[in-house]
Amino acid sequence: MAGKEFDIVVVGAGILGMSSAYHLQKNNPKKRILVLDRFSGAGQGNTGRSNAMFRNTFTSTDNQTLSDTTISFYLHLQVNQNQDLGLEQIGYLWLMSDRQLAANERHVEGMVRNKIEIREYGRGELERLVPGLRADFGESDEEAKILKLDRVAGSIFGVKCGRLDPDRLIVFYRDRFIGMGGTVAFNTDAVKLMIEAHESLDIEGEPFVWQEARVNGVEVRGALEGEIRADAVVMAAGAWNNELLEPRGMDGHVKAKKRQLFSIPARNDPSLVNLLYTKGFNELGLLPMVILPKAGVHFKPVRIADEFWVACEDEVNRPFINVPDHDLDAYTAEASFYDRNVHPVLKGYFPQFRNARPKRMWAGLYSYNTLDYLPFVVPRDGLILVGGDSGSGIMKGDALGRIVDSAYREGEESEAMLYGEVPYRVSKLGFENRDVEREEWVI
Ligand SMILES: Cc1cc2nc3c(=O)[nH]c(=O)nc-3n(C[C@H](O)[C@H](O)[C@H](O)COP(=O)(O)OP(=O)(O)OC[C@H]3O[C@@H](n4cnc5c(N)ncnc54)[C@H](O)[C@@H]3O)c2cc1C
């Protein structure tokens, strides 16, 4: 296949690459589109290692739109199209201190204005509804004092939020893409972006600075070898975008950072089982995703396995990685990180986790846009860059795929049509005419 020409090559078969490929093939049925990935299948990068939660409770209106329309599409697939994505609307319960409630008042007003469905619970209601929650700390509680645990003053509950199965989601996009005539190539590493002069004079060393340059394909190694020419290259390599962009003097404006998940079995501990099956928040009779007021420590119930998955914001002293290792197993989860960082906060608010130790743990990479924490979609000179999802790419995956397609067909000034007939101007997520508010609720 190498040496062959495609209209579009998508580098990366994670959620952003596969959703882009699906929408591109759907709206450009005659175009020959290739998705390539260095792993042996789709979704084996950070998509497969994620917590796979979704929420529309963001502070930025743009993030609300990207996630809300994406969630609606996933719900549509599961409810109307019989496409079981393992989607469960358990909700997100943000427990907040007095200070956090006050600081977020305007954000909550914004969500209500934008018709994001939320409910507010006071401390008393939470104590009644959530088994074992310690919402206040006595004067003599030395540990709470040392950890500076604030009392829970209230909470914001996001209704249209929950979890899904990322493998099933990716299979949906992959199979539909292939079904429409798209091509996939796994075990194939894109090693270089090819660049040519737009109007070549056939002189060695082109493109020169006085020529217009454009990306015209990728060099590949592995199952495919050689040069693959294309009119457009979609860079959807996630945490690895910099690796191909930077040697060509392009900036992806993303930085990767390790993130870890710890799975805590509940089955043999009645107090944890009781917590897992908390009633009153959703129709499933399950505890929602809970975000604690300290360090972004959060946990969700996984009912098929009777366990909790626990994680936290990991900002302090955790290095950024500019070009990550190709092997994600190079990033291991650390039991000591759970013991010394996560567990003290967790058991501070929920004492029933006192003896809880992880049975399994794993790590992956967040791909941060450190400026405003919103994604990028940037069409420029034969390249369409998509990334910067800052730890919430699955819940915005469908919208971003539609925006990539609009960028390809009609350029940066076009309006993409997101699910539910919601128009969205592509340039809002670009570099030059970027028009978004910084996101404040990043976990
Ligand atoms: C621990 C953790 C928890 C998370 N929780 C959530 C969550 O609850 N909800 C949510 O929405 N998001 C979550 N995320 C973030 C989510 O995983 C990402 O936003 C999403 O997976 C990004 O998708 P992607 O397609 O950009 O990246 P990836 O899934 O990493 O895909 C990129 C692909 O590109 C391929 N690739 C890279 N370079 C090359 C190359 N040169 N040649 C060939 N192939 C290449 C890789 O092999 C990879 O398969 C979490 C992430 C982590 C790590």
Side-chain angles (χ1 to χ4, degrees), residues 11-18 36-39 41-54 92 188-191 235-241 243-244 257 259-261 289 326 328 362-366 386-387 389-396:
V11 180
I15 182 63
L16 299 189
M18 283 317 317
L36 57 87
D37 201 294
R38 63 162 68 103
F39 289 134
Q44 294 187 8
N46 291 300
T47 299
R49 292 181 176 231
S50 83
N51 211 356
M53 298 298 295
F54 59 83
Y92 265 53
T188 299
D189 209 322
V191 292
M235 273 303 298
W240 296 274
N241 264 348
E243 187 179 352
L244 292 186
K257 200 180 249 207
R259 286 295 288 246
Q260 309 172 52
L261 276 167
M289 164 90 145
H326 289 188
L328 273 178
W362 63 96
L365 298 170
Y366 265 27
V386 55
D389 42 273
S390 307
S392 48
I394 294 173
M395 59 184 99
K396 299 171 203 157

Short mmCIF file of all heavy atoms in Angstrom, two decimals, residues 11-18 36-39 41-54 92 188-191 235-241 243-244 257 259-261 289 326 328 362-366 386-387 389-396, ligand 1:
data_model
loop_
_atom_site.label_atom_id
_atom_site.label_comp_id
_atom_site.label_asym_id
_atom_site.label_seq_id
_atom_site.Cartn_x
_atom_site.Cartn_y
_atom_site.Cartn_z
N VAL A 11 -3.54 10.15 11.20
CA VAL A 11 -2.51 9.52 12.04
C VAL A 11 -3.09 9.38 13.45
O VAL A 11 -3.34 10.38 14.13
CB VAL A 11 -1.22 10.36 12.08
CG1 VAL A 11 -0.18 9.68 12.98
CG2 VAL A 11 -0.68 10.60 10.69
N GLY A 12 -3.32 8.14 13.86
CA GLY A 12 -3.84 7.89 15.21
C GLY A 12 -5.25 7.33 15.16
O GLY A 12 -6.16 7.95 14.60
N ALA A 13 -5.43 6.14 15.76
CA ALA A 13 -6.75 5.50 15.78
C ALA A 13 -7.32 5.48 17.19
O ALA A 13 -7.92 4.50 17.64
CB ALA A 13 -6.67 4.09 15.22
N GLY A 14 -7.12 6.58 17.92
CA GLY A 14 -7.81 6.76 19.20
C GLY A 14 -9.18 7.35 18.90
O GLY A 14 -9.63 7.41 17.76
N ILE A 15 -9.88 7.80 19.95
CA ILE A 15 -11.23 8.33 19.74
C ILE A 15 -11.21 9.52 18.78
O ILE A 15 -12.10 9.65 17.92
CB ILE A 15 -11.92 8.69 21.08
CG1 ILE A 15 -13.34 9.19 20.85
CG2 ILE A 15 -11.15 9.73 21.86
CD1 ILE A 15 -14.28 8.22 20.24
N LEU A 16 -10.19 10.39 18.88
CA LEU A 16 -10.24 11.59 18.03
C LEU A 16 -9.97 11.23 16.57
O LEU A 16 -10.62 11.76 15.66
CB LEU A 16 -9.26 12.65 18.53
CG LEU A 16 -9.54 13.15 19.95
CD1 LEU A 16 -8.67 14.36 20.30
CD2 LEU A 16 -11.01 13.54 20.13
N GLY A 17 -9.04 10.31 16.33
CA GLY A 17 -8.76 9.89 14.95
C GLY A 17 -9.93 9.12 14.36
O GLY A 17 -10.34 9.37 13.22
N MET A 18 -10.51 8.20 15.14
CA MET A 18 -11.58 7.35 14.57
C MET A 18 -12.86 8.14 14.37
O MET A 18 -13.57 7.94 13.37
CB MET A 18 -11.86 6.13 15.46
CG MET A 18 -10.88 4.98 15.40
SD MET A 18 -10.22 4.40 13.82
CE MET A 18 -11.57 4.35 12.72
N LEU A 36 -4.09 5.26 10.21
CA LEU A 36 -3.00 4.38 10.61
C LEU A 36 -2.65 4.57 12.08
O LEU A 36 -2.85 5.64 12.65
CB LEU A 36 -1.78 4.57 9.71
CG LEU A 36 -1.15 5.95 9.59
CD1 LEU A 36 -0.13 6.17 10.68
CD2 LEU A 36 -0.50 6.07 8.21
N ASP A 37 -2.15 3.50 12.67
CA ASP A 37 -1.78 3.55 14.10
C ASP A 37 -0.64 2.56 14.33
O ASP A 37 -0.59 1.49 13.74
CB ASP A 37 -2.97 3.18 14.99
CG ASP A 37 -2.77 3.70 16.41
OD1 ASP A 37 -1.85 3.22 17.12
OD2 ASP A 37 -3.54 4.60 16.81
N ARG A 38 0.23 2.95 15.26
CA ARG A 38 1.38 2.07 15.54
C ARG A 38 0.98 0.89 16.42
O ARG A 38 1.67 -0.12 16.45
CB ARG A 38 2.54 2.83 16.16
CG ARG A 38 2.28 3.45 17.51
CD ARG A 38 3.61 3.78 18.19
NE ARG A 38 4.29 4.85 17.52
CZ ARG A 38 4.35 6.11 17.95
NH1 ARG A 38 3.72 6.45 19.06
NH2 ARG A 38 5.03 7.02 17.30
N PHE A 39 -0.15 1.01 17.11
CA PHE A 39 -0.62 -0.14 17.90
C PHE A 39 -1.33 -1.14 16.98
O PHE A 39 -1.61 -0.83 15.82
CB PHE A 39 -1.56 0.32 19.01
CG PHE A 39 -0.85 1.07 20.11
CD1 PHE A 39 -1.37 2.26 20.61
CD2 PHE A 39 0.34 0.60 20.65
CE1 PHE A 39 -0.72 2.95 21.64
CE2 PHE A 39 0.99 1.29 21.68
CZ PHE A 39 0.46 2.48 22.16
N GLY A 41 -4.35 -2.25 17.05
CA GLY A 41 -5.78 -2.06 16.85
C GLY A 41 -6.17 -0.64 17.23
O GLY A 41 -5.32 0.14 17.69
N ALA A 42 -7.46 -0.34 17.07
CA ALA A 42 -7.93 1.01 17.39
C ALA A 42 -8.17 1.14 18.90
O ALA A 42 -8.52 0.16 19.57
CB ALA A 42 -9.23 1.29 16.64
N GLY A 43 -7.95 2.32 19.41
CA GLY A 43 -8.28 2.60 20.81
C GLY A 43 -7.34 1.97 21.82
O GLY A 43 -7.70 1.81 22.99
N GLN A 44 -6.15 1.62 21.40
CA GLN A 44 -5.22 0.98 22.35
C GLN A 44 -4.26 1.97 23.01
O GLN A 44 -3.40 1.58 23.79
CB GLN A 44 -4.43 -0.12 21.64
CG GLN A 44 -5.34 -1.25 21.21
CD GLN A 44 -4.58 -2.44 20.65
OE1 GLN A 44 -3.37 -2.50 20.71
NE2 GLN A 44 -5.32 -3.38 20.11
N GLY A 45 -4.41 3.24 22.67
CA GLY A 45 -3.60 4.28 23.33
C GLY A 45 -4.31 4.75 24.59
O GLY A 45 -4.86 3.94 25.36
N ASN A 46 -4.36 6.04 24.79
CA ASN A 46 -4.96 6.57 26.02
C ASN A 46 -6.47 6.40 26.08
O ASN A 46 -7.05 6.35 27.16
CB ASN A 46 -4.53 8.02 26.21
CG ASN A 46 -3.05 8.06 26.52
OD1 ASN A 46 -2.61 7.50 27.51
ND2 ASN A 46 -2.26 8.66 25.63
N THR A 47 -7.09 6.27 24.91
CA THR A 47 -8.54 6.03 24.89
C THR A 47 -8.87 4.77 25.68
O THR A 47 -9.80 4.76 26.50
CB THR A 47 -9.03 5.92 23.43
OG1 THR A 47 -8.74 7.15 22.77
CG2 THR A 47 -10.51 5.63 23.36
N GLY A 48 -8.09 3.72 25.47
CA GLY A 48 -8.35 2.44 26.13
C GLY A 48 -7.95 2.43 27.60
O GLY A 48 -8.31 1.52 28.33
N ARG A 49 -7.18 3.40 28.02
CA ARG A 49 -6.72 3.42 29.43
C ARG A 49 -7.50 4.41 30.27
O ARG A 49 -7.19 4.63 31.44
CB ARG A 49 -5.25 3.82 29.47
CG ARG A 49 -4.39 2.75 28.86
CD ARG A 49 -2.94 3.09 28.91
NE ARG A 49 -2.20 1.96 28.39
CZ ARG A 49 -1.19 1.38 28.99
NH1 ARG A 49 -0.76 1.83 30.13
NH2 ARG A 49 -0.59 0.34 28.44
N SER A 50 -8.51 5.01 29.67
CA SER A 50 -9.15 6.14 30.36
C SER A 50 -10.22 5.67 31.34
O SER A 50 -10.60 4.50 31.37
CB SER A 50 -9.80 7.07 29.32
OG SER A 50 -11.05 6.57 28.99
N ASN A 51 -10.72 6.62 32.08
CA ASN A 51 -11.81 6.38 33.01
C ASN A 51 -13.14 6.33 32.25
O ASN A 51 -14.15 5.85 32.76
CB ASN A 51 -11.82 7.54 34.01
CG ASN A 51 -12.31 7.14 35.38
OD1 ASN A 51 -12.71 6.00 35.59
ND2 ASN A 51 -12.29 8.06 36.31
N ALA A 52 -13.12 6.90 31.03
CA ALA A 52 -14.28 6.90 30.13
C ALA A 52 -15.55 7.45 30.76
O ALA A 52 -16.63 6.91 30.60
CB ALA A 52 -14.53 5.51 29.55
N MET A 53 -15.39 8.52 31.50
CA MET A 53 -16.53 9.22 32.06
C MET A 53 -16.95 10.33 31.10
O MET A 53 -16.14 10.77 30.28
CB MET A 53 -16.17 9.84 33.41
CG MET A 53 -15.77 8.85 34.48
SD MET A 53 -17.09 7.70 34.90
CE MET A 53 -18.31 8.78 35.62
N PHE A 54 -18.20 10.75 31.20
CA PHE A 54 -18.63 11.89 30.39
C PHE A 54 -19.46 12.83 31.24
O PHE A 54 -20.15 12.41 32.18
CB PHE A 54 -19.39 11.45 29.13
CG PHE A 54 -20.63 10.65 29.42
CD1 PHE A 54 -21.83 11.27 29.73
CD2 PHE A 54 -20.60 9.26 29.39
CE1 PHE A 54 -22.98 10.53 30.00
CE2 PHE A 54 -21.74 8.50 29.66
CZ PHE A 54 -22.93 9.15 29.96
N TYR A 92 -22.68 13.09 37.95
CA TYR A 92 -21.44 13.56 38.60
C TYR A 92 -21.84 14.35 39.83
O TYR A 92 -22.62 15.31 39.73
CB TYR A 92 -20.68 14.53 37.68
CG TYR A 92 -19.59 13.95 36.81
CD1 TYR A 92 -19.84 12.87 35.98
CD2 TYR A 92 -18.32 14.52 36.79
CE1 TYR A 92 -18.85 12.38 35.14
CE2 TYR A 92 -17.32 14.05 35.96
CZ TYR A 92 -17.59 12.97 35.13
OH TYR A 92 -16.61 12.49 34.31
N THR A 188 1.59 0.28 12.20
CA THR A 188 2.21 1.19 11.21
C THR A 188 2.52 2.51 11.89
O THR A 188 1.62 3.18 12.41
CB THR A 188 1.25 1.40 10.02
OG1 THR A 188 1.00 0.14 9.41
CG2 THR A 188 1.85 2.35 9.00
N ASP A 189 3.78 2.86 11.86
CA ASP A 189 4.27 4.03 12.57
C ASP A 189 4.49 5.16 11.56
O ASP A 189 5.23 4.97 10.59
CB ASP A 189 5.62 3.63 13.19
CG ASP A 189 5.89 4.39 14.45
OD1 ASP A 189 5.55 5.57 14.49
OD2 ASP A 189 6.45 3.78 15.37
N ALA A 190 3.84 6.29 11.78
CA ALA A 190 4.16 7.47 10.95
C ALA A 190 5.44 8.07 11.52
O ALA A 190 5.47 8.45 12.70
CB ALA A 190 3.03 8.48 11.01
N VAL A 191 6.50 8.13 10.73
CA VAL A 191 7.79 8.58 11.28
C VAL A 191 8.13 10.00 10.86
O VAL A 191 8.99 10.64 11.46
CB VAL A 191 8.94 7.62 10.89
CG1 VAL A 191 8.77 6.29 11.60
CG2 VAL A 191 9.04 7.43 9.39
N MET A 235 -3.69 15.07 11.99
CA MET A 235 -2.82 14.66 13.10
C MET A 235 -3.69 14.43 14.32
O MET A 235 -4.14 15.39 14.96
CB MET A 235 -1.80 15.75 13.41
CG MET A 235 -0.53 15.69 12.60
SD MET A 235 0.39 14.14 12.72
CE MET A 235 0.79 14.10 14.44
N ALA A 236 -3.93 13.16 14.62
CA ALA A 236 -4.75 12.81 15.79
C ALA A 236 -3.95 11.84 16.65
O ALA A 236 -4.47 10.83 17.11
CB ALA A 236 -6.08 12.19 15.34
N ALA A 237 -2.69 12.18 16.85
CA ALA A 237 -1.78 11.27 17.55
C ALA A 237 -1.78 11.52 19.05
O ALA A 237 -0.94 11.00 19.78
CB ALA A 237 -0.37 11.39 16.97
N GLY A 238 -2.71 12.33 19.53
CA GLY A 238 -2.89 12.55 20.97
C GLY A 238 -1.62 13.06 21.63
O GLY A 238 -1.02 14.04 21.20
N ALA A 239 -1.21 12.36 22.69
CA ALA A 239 -0.04 12.79 23.48
C ALA A 239 1.24 12.80 22.65
O ALA A 239 2.24 13.38 23.06
CB ALA A 239 0.11 11.86 24.68
N TRP A 240 1.20 12.15 21.48
CA TRP A 240 2.40 12.05 20.64
C TRP A 240 2.41 13.05 19.49
O TRP A 240 3.27 12.99 18.61
CB TRP A 240 2.54 10.63 20.08
CG TRP A 240 2.75 9.59 21.13
CD1 TRP A 240 3.93 9.20 21.68
CD2 TRP A 240 1.74 8.78 21.77
NE1 TRP A 240 3.73 8.22 22.62
CE2 TRP A 240 2.40 7.94 22.70
CE3 TRP A 240 0.36 8.70 21.66
CZ2 TRP A 240 1.71 7.03 23.50
CZ3 TRP A 240 -0.32 7.79 22.46
CH2 TRP A 240 0.34 6.97 23.36
N ASN A 241 1.47 13.97 19.46
CA ASN A 241 1.42 14.91 18.32
C ASN A 241 2.75 15.65 18.12
O ASN A 241 3.19 15.85 16.99
CB ASN A 241 0.29 15.94 18.53
CG ASN A 241 -1.00 15.54 17.81
OD1 ASN A 241 -0.99 14.62 16.98
ND2 ASN A 241 -2.10 16.20 18.11
N GLU A 243 5.70 14.78 18.46
CA GLU A 243 6.81 14.01 17.89
C GLU A 243 6.93 14.21 16.37
O GLU A 243 8.03 14.23 15.83
CB GLU A 243 6.57 12.52 18.21
CG GLU A 243 7.73 11.64 17.83
CD GLU A 243 7.48 10.18 18.18
OE1 GLU A 243 6.47 9.86 18.85
OE2 GLU A 243 8.31 9.36 17.77
N LEU A 244 5.81 14.35 15.69
CA LEU A 244 5.87 14.57 14.24
C LEU A 244 5.87 16.06 13.89
O LEU A 244 6.42 16.45 12.87
CB LEU A 244 4.67 13.90 13.55
CG LEU A 244 4.65 12.38 13.54
CD1 LEU A 244 3.50 11.87 12.69
CD2 LEU A 244 5.96 11.80 13.03
N LYS A 257 1.07 14.40 30.37
CA LYS A 257 1.35 14.17 31.79
C LYS A 257 0.75 12.82 32.19
O LYS A 257 -0.35 12.48 31.76
CB LYS A 257 0.70 15.29 32.61
CG LYS A 257 1.30 15.45 33.99
CD LYS A 257 0.63 16.56 34.76
CE LYS A 257 1.56 17.72 34.95
NZ LYS A 257 1.25 18.51 36.15
N ARG A 259 -1.21 10.07 34.15
CA ARG A 259 -2.37 10.02 35.06
C ARG A 259 -2.64 8.57 35.43
O ARG A 259 -2.47 7.68 34.61
CB ARG A 259 -3.62 10.60 34.37
CG ARG A 259 -3.58 12.10 34.25
CD ARG A 259 -3.63 12.75 35.62
NE ARG A 259 -4.91 12.64 36.23
CZ ARG A 259 -5.71 13.69 36.47
NH1 ARG A 259 -5.35 14.90 36.13
NH2 ARG A 259 -6.86 13.51 37.05
N GLN A 260 -3.07 8.36 36.65
CA GLN A 260 -3.20 6.99 37.17
C GLN A 260 -4.63 6.68 37.63
O GLN A 260 -5.35 7.59 38.05
CB GLN A 260 -2.27 6.81 38.37
CG GLN A 260 -0.85 7.24 38.07
CD GLN A 260 0.02 7.24 39.31
OE1 GLN A 260 0.08 6.24 40.03
NE2 GLN A 260 0.70 8.33 39.57
N LEU A 261 -4.98 5.42 37.53
CA LEU A 261 -6.28 4.96 38.03
C LEU A 261 -6.06 3.75 38.92
O LEU A 261 -5.23 2.88 38.62
CB LEU A 261 -7.20 4.56 36.86
CG LEU A 261 -7.97 5.70 36.20
CD1 LEU A 261 -8.57 5.23 34.88
CD2 LEU A 261 -9.09 6.21 37.11
N MET A 289 -20.47 9.40 40.05
CA MET A 289 -19.06 9.77 40.14
C MET A 289 -18.99 10.85 41.23
O MET A 289 -19.77 11.81 41.18
CB MET A 289 -18.62 10.35 38.80
CG MET A 289 -17.33 11.12 38.85
SD MET A 289 -15.97 10.01 38.52
CE MET A 289 -14.88 11.09 37.60
N HIS A 326 6.93 5.57 23.18
CA HIS A 326 5.90 4.92 22.35
C HIS A 326 5.13 3.87 23.15
O HIS A 326 3.97 3.60 22.85
CB HIS A 326 6.54 4.22 21.14
CG HIS A 326 7.07 5.19 20.14
ND1 HIS A 326 7.54 4.81 18.91
CD2 HIS A 326 7.18 6.54 20.18
CE1 HIS A 326 7.95 5.88 18.24
NE2 HIS A 326 7.74 6.94 18.99
N LEU A 328 3.21 2.72 26.15
CA LEU A 328 2.52 3.32 27.31
C LEU A 328 2.81 2.57 28.61
O LEU A 328 2.65 3.13 29.69
CB LEU A 328 1.01 3.35 27.06
CG LEU A 328 0.48 4.58 26.31
CD1 LEU A 328 -1.01 4.46 26.07
CD2 LEU A 328 0.79 5.88 27.05
N TRP A 362 -3.34 1.25 36.86
CA TRP A 362 -2.69 1.48 35.57
C TRP A 362 -2.54 2.98 35.35
O TRP A 362 -3.11 3.79 36.08
CB TRP A 362 -3.46 0.81 34.43
CG TRP A 362 -4.85 1.33 34.22
CD1 TRP A 362 -5.23 2.28 33.32
CD2 TRP A 362 -6.04 0.94 34.93
NE1 TRP A 362 -6.59 2.49 33.41
CE2 TRP A 362 -7.12 1.69 34.40
CE3 TRP A 362 -6.30 0.03 35.95
CZ2 TRP A 362 -8.42 1.57 34.85
CZ3 TRP A 362 -7.61 -0.09 36.41
CH2 TRP A 362 -8.64 0.66 35.86
N ALA A 363 -1.74 3.29 34.33
CA ALA A 363 -1.50 4.71 34.04
C ALA A 363 -1.61 4.95 32.54
O ALA A 363 -1.48 4.03 31.73
CB ALA A 363 -0.11 5.11 34.53
N GLY A 364 -1.89 6.18 32.20
CA GLY A 364 -1.91 6.62 30.81
C GLY A 364 -1.46 8.06 30.78
O GLY A 364 -0.88 8.55 31.76
N LEU A 365 -1.72 8.73 29.67
CA LEU A 365 -1.27 10.11 29.54
C LEU A 365 -2.43 11.05 29.24
O LEU A 365 -3.25 10.76 28.37
CB LEU A 365 -0.24 10.21 28.40
CG LEU A 365 1.05 9.41 28.58
CD1 LEU A 365 1.85 9.41 27.28
CD2 LEU A 365 1.89 9.97 29.72
N TYR A 366 -2.48 12.15 29.96
CA TYR A 366 -3.35 13.26 29.58
C TYR A 366 -2.59 14.09 28.56
O TYR A 366 -1.37 14.20 28.63
CB TYR A 366 -3.62 14.16 30.80
CG TYR A 366 -4.89 13.88 31.57
CD1 TYR A 366 -5.47 12.62 31.60
CD2 TYR A 366 -5.50 14.89 32.31
CE1 TYR A 366 -6.63 12.39 32.34
CE2 TYR A 366 -6.65 14.66 33.04
CZ TYR A 366 -7.21 13.41 33.06
OH TYR A 366 -8.34 13.19 33.80
N VAL A 386 -5.76 17.95 15.46
CA VAL A 386 -6.82 17.86 16.48
C VAL A 386 -6.18 17.32 17.75
O VAL A 386 -5.41 16.37 17.70
CB VAL A 386 -8.03 17.00 16.00
CG1 VAL A 386 -7.62 15.61 15.55
CG2 VAL A 386 -9.09 16.88 17.10
N GLY A 387 -6.43 17.98 18.88
CA GLY A 387 -5.79 17.54 20.12
C GLY A 387 -6.03 18.52 21.24
O GLY A 387 -6.96 19.33 21.19
N ASP A 389 -7.02 17.87 24.25
CA ASP A 389 -8.31 17.59 24.89
C ASP A 389 -8.25 17.62 26.42
O ASP A 389 -9.28 17.58 27.08
CB ASP A 389 -8.84 16.24 24.42
CG ASP A 389 -7.71 15.22 24.37
OD1 ASP A 389 -7.02 15.14 23.35
OD2 ASP A 389 -7.50 14.54 25.39
N SER A 390 -7.06 17.66 26.98
CA SER A 390 -6.87 17.92 28.42
C SER A 390 -7.66 16.98 29.33
O SER A 390 -8.27 17.40 30.31
CB SER A 390 -7.23 19.39 28.74
OG SER A 390 -6.52 20.27 27.90
N GLY A 391 -7.65 15.71 28.97
CA GLY A 391 -8.26 14.70 29.85
C GLY A 391 -9.75 14.50 29.66
O GLY A 391 -10.38 13.83 30.47
N SER A 392 -10.31 15.08 28.59
CA SER A 392 -11.75 14.87 28.39
C SER A 392 -12.07 14.72 26.90
O SER A 392 -13.04 15.27 26.40
CB SER A 392 -12.56 16.00 29.02
OG SER A 392 -12.02 17.26 28.67
N GLY A 393 -11.26 13.93 26.20
CA GLY A 393 -11.43 13.77 24.75
C GLY A 393 -12.54 12.81 24.37
O GLY A 393 -13.14 12.95 23.30
N ILE A 394 -12.82 11.84 25.22
CA ILE A 394 -13.86 10.87 24.86
C ILE A 394 -15.22 11.56 24.89
O ILE A 394 -16.03 11.40 23.98
CB ILE A 394 -13.81 9.66 25.81
CG1 ILE A 394 -12.48 8.92 25.58
CG2 ILE A 394 -15.00 8.74 25.60
CD1 ILE A 394 -12.20 7.81 26.53
N MET A 395 -15.42 12.37 25.93
CA MET A 395 -16.73 13.03 26.08
C MET A 395 -16.93 14.16 25.07
O MET A 395 -18.02 14.71 24.99
CB MET A 395 -16.92 13.52 27.51
CG MET A 395 -15.89 14.48 28.00
SD MET A 395 -16.17 14.89 29.75
CE MET A 395 -15.02 13.85 30.61
N LYS A 396 -15.89 14.52 24.30
CA LYS A 396 -16.06 15.53 23.25
C LYS A 396 -15.75 14.94 21.88
O LYS A 396 -15.68 15.66 20.88
CB LYS A 396 -15.13 16.72 23.52
CG LYS A 396 -15.40 17.41 24.83
CD LYS A 396 -14.33 18.44 25.16
CE LYS A 396 -14.33 18.66 26.65
NZ LYS A 396 -13.06 19.19 27.13
C1 LIG B 1 -6.11 7.78 33.33
C2 LIG B 1 -6.92 8.53 32.32
C3 LIG B 1 -8.27 8.80 32.58
C4 LIG B 1 -9.03 9.50 31.65
N1 LIG B 1 -10.36 9.69 31.89
C5 LIG B 1 -11.14 10.25 30.94
C6 LIG B 1 -12.54 10.35 31.12
O1 LIG B 1 -13.07 9.95 32.14
N2 LIG B 1 -13.27 10.90 30.12
C7 LIG B 1 -12.71 11.37 28.96
O2 LIG B 1 -13.43 11.89 28.11
N3 LIG B 1 -11.38 11.29 28.78
C8 LIG B 1 -10.59 10.74 29.73
N4 LIG B 1 -9.25 10.64 29.54
C9 LIG B 1 -8.67 11.29 28.38
C10 LIG B 1 -8.89 10.48 27.14
O3 LIG B 1 -8.31 9.23 27.30
C11 LIG B 1 -8.28 11.24 25.99
O4 LIG B 1 -8.82 12.54 25.94
C12 LIG B 1 -8.55 10.56 24.66
O5 LIG B 1 -8.27 9.19 24.73
C13 LIG B 1 -7.72 11.21 23.58
O6 LIG B 1 -7.91 10.51 22.39
P1 LIG B 1 -6.83 10.54 21.25
O7 LIG B 1 -7.42 9.86 20.10
O8 LIG B 1 -6.34 11.94 21.09
O9 LIG B 1 -5.57 9.79 21.87
P2 LIG B 1 -5.16 8.24 21.93
O10 LIG B 1 -6.27 7.37 22.32
O11 LIG B 1 -3.92 8.16 22.76
O12 LIG B 1 -4.84 7.90 20.42
C14 LIG B 1 -3.70 8.37 19.76
C15 LIG B 1 -3.24 7.26 18.88
O13 LIG B 1 -2.23 7.75 18.02
C16 LIG B 1 -1.30 6.71 17.80
N5 LIG B 1 -0.06 7.32 17.37
C17 LIG B 1 0.61 8.32 17.97
N6 LIG B 1 1.69 8.67 17.25
C18 LIG B 1 1.69 7.86 16.16
C19 LIG B 1 2.55 7.74 15.05
N7 LIG B 1 3.61 8.55 14.88
N8 LIG B 1 2.29 6.78 14.14
C20 LIG B 1 1.21 5.98 14.29
N9 LIG B 1 0.35 6.06 15.31
C21 LIG B 1 0.59 7.00 16.25
C22 LIG B 1 -1.19 6.03 19.15
O14 LIG B 1 -0.69 4.71 18.98
C23 LIG B 1 -2.61 6.11 19.66
O15 LIG B 1 -3.34 4.93 19.39
C24 LIG B 1 -8.44 9.95 30.44
C25 LIG B 1 -7.10 9.67 30.18
C26 LIG B 1 -6.35 8.97 31.11
C27 LIG B 1 -4.91 8.67 30.78
#
